[in-house]
Amino acid sequence: MSRAFIFPGQGAQAIGMGRALAEAYPAAQAVFDEVDAALGEKLSALIWEGDAETLTLTENAQPALMATSMAALRALEAEGIQVSSASFVAGHSLGEYSALTAAGALSIADAARLLRTRGLAMQQAVPVGEGAMAALLGLDLAAAREVAEAAAAPGEVCAAANDNDPGQVVISGSKAAVERAVELAKEKGAKRAVMLPVSAPFHCALMAPAAEVMAEALAGVEIKAPSVPLVANVRAAAVTDPAEIRALLVEQVTGSVRWRESVEYMVAQGVTEFWEIGAGKALSGMVRRIHRAAAVQAVGTPEDVAKVLEAASA
């Protein structure tokens, strides 16, 4: 069986995530300690005992989700399962940083600082209330793009931000255009079209100021060749060259997350098993909808670790 390790993005965060891993595995606790030190604050206290609203702030959620993913990976490693057992790593949006950290391309401290910068830059790129995102359910990518294009008035942005699975595309852009797109999508036969409770219009041209900030931040960080190829969001294909990865991380801020194509690419390369490393099970659901035959396993608790160990030894 060929395996891929996949890493969740924003929306998966929950108060208490990773705590049981940290209590069960010293190596998992060490991840949270390292992130706290890198940021100069007790992010772990917010993750485990804070309020959901503060954790959901983009600049907190992004490093917090990476920390939880790395804690889960360290727990697996403590049980003898290495990242080298995977053929590919991939992550959804900020999860790409978790994937690169897992594969040794970024240090945990650098990833934490980059994600704090990324979160703040994305939040500040567009004044609150001017941008929006919406999920279109029951439309494929081509139909979603048509709707987005038709909805955008001159001077407005409306684009496909996340191609998540065959029946779910998220659009992003100017608030008025996204609101029009929701109504148009319903007319075009979407099962549902709903505005998302997000604080900024991610993965569209409005994020250009954030991309500039990230280009500068990434220029000052060492990126090594990952030990396992990364399937990059904006390319939906494997990359290992550090310079290319750096450029793609900048492009990713304004570019579309091509998740459906990324999973299809890994399946075409022989991947039959996907392990979602970190908080939640959103990616597991997407993978199932993209490729029904895929075996999926979420690994976010000590019980999940025990489950994969049992399956591995069966």
Side-chain angles (χ1 to χ4, degrees):
M1 270 185 138
S2 177
R3 180 185 300 155
F5 284 0
I6 57 177
F7 296 84
Q10 215 160 317
Q13 68 275 358
I15 294 295
M17 63 182 183
R19 187 171 201 163
L21 287 166
E23 287 168 353
Y25 294 96
Q29 176 66 57
V31 170
F32 290 104
D33 292 343
E34 192 172 345
V35 169
D36 287 351
L39 297 179
E41 65 181 72
K42 290 283 282 184
L43 184 66
S44 58
L46 170 62
I47 298 168
W48 297 336
E49 296 155 8
D51 67 280
E53 201 176 329
T54 308
L55 179 61
T56 299
L57 291 173
T58 306
E59 67 263 29
N60 293 327
Q62 294 200 23
L65 283 161
M66 182 277 298
T68 304
S69 286
M70 286 307 300
L73 186 75
R74 292 289 182 260
L76 286 172
E77 289 172 347
E79 298 291 0
I81 298 175
Q82 305 297 325
V83 72
S84 57
S85 69
S87 302
F88 299 99
V89 294
H92 194 283
S93 190
L94 83 91
E96 194 153 273
Y97 285 78
S98 306
L100 287 165
T101 308
L106 286 171
S107 71
I108 287 173
D110 281 341
R113 286 188 288 261
L114 285 168
L115 286 170
R116 169 57 56 83
T117 299
R118 184 177 183 269
L120 285 167
M122 287 173 122
Q123 189 58 64
Q124 291 164 1
V126 180
V128 173
E130 287 189 16
M133 298 181 80
L136 310 184
L137 307 180
L139 293 186
D140 63 14
L141 180 61
R145 279 180 171 155
E146 272 180 38
V147 164
E149 206 173 305
E156 290 179 338
V157 168
C158 193
N162 304 341
D163 178 16
N164 284 334
D165 62 45
Q168 186 194 119
V169 179
V170 173
I171 58 169
S172 181
S174 311
K175 190 180 180 192
V178 173
E179 287 171 342
R180 283 194 294 272
V182 164
E183 296 312 311
L184 271 176
K186 291 172 186 170
E187 290 169 22
K188 289 272 186 185
K191 287 179 190 168
R192 284 181 72 210
V194 290
M195 300 294 286
L196 294 177
V198 294
S199 53
F202 305 126
H203 298 290
C204 75
L206 294 176
M207 287 286 114
E212 286 177 26
V213 171
M214 289 314 295
E216 193 176 324
L218 284 156
V221 167
E222 183 187 13
I223 299 178
K224 297 175 182 170
S227 59
V228 174
L230 170 80
V231 179
N233 281 186
V234 294
R235 187 166 292 175
V239 292
T240 55
D241 177 67
E244 205 173 354
I245 287 167
R246 196 186 306 273
L248 291 173
L249 286 173
V250 176
E251 194 181 327
Q252 185 227 55
V253 179
T254 55
S256 180
V257 176
R258 296 166 62 184
W259 188 253
R260 175 184 57 82
E261 292 174 85
S262 294
V263 172
E264 287 171 350
Y265 170 85
M266 288 183 271
V267 168
Q269 304 302 312
V271 171
T272 54
E273 192 177 25
F274 292 82
W275 288 13
E276 182 172 3
I277 313 293
K281 297 179 180 178
L283 298 186
S284 298
M286 289 177 200
V287 169
R288 280 198 189 97
R289 290 189 290 275
I290 295 163
H291 186 66
R292 287 184 187 280
V296 297
Q297 176 63 54
V299 185
T301 65
E303 292 74 22
D304 294 336
V305 174
K307 214 180 287 181
V308 297
L309 287 171
E310 197 180 317
S313 61

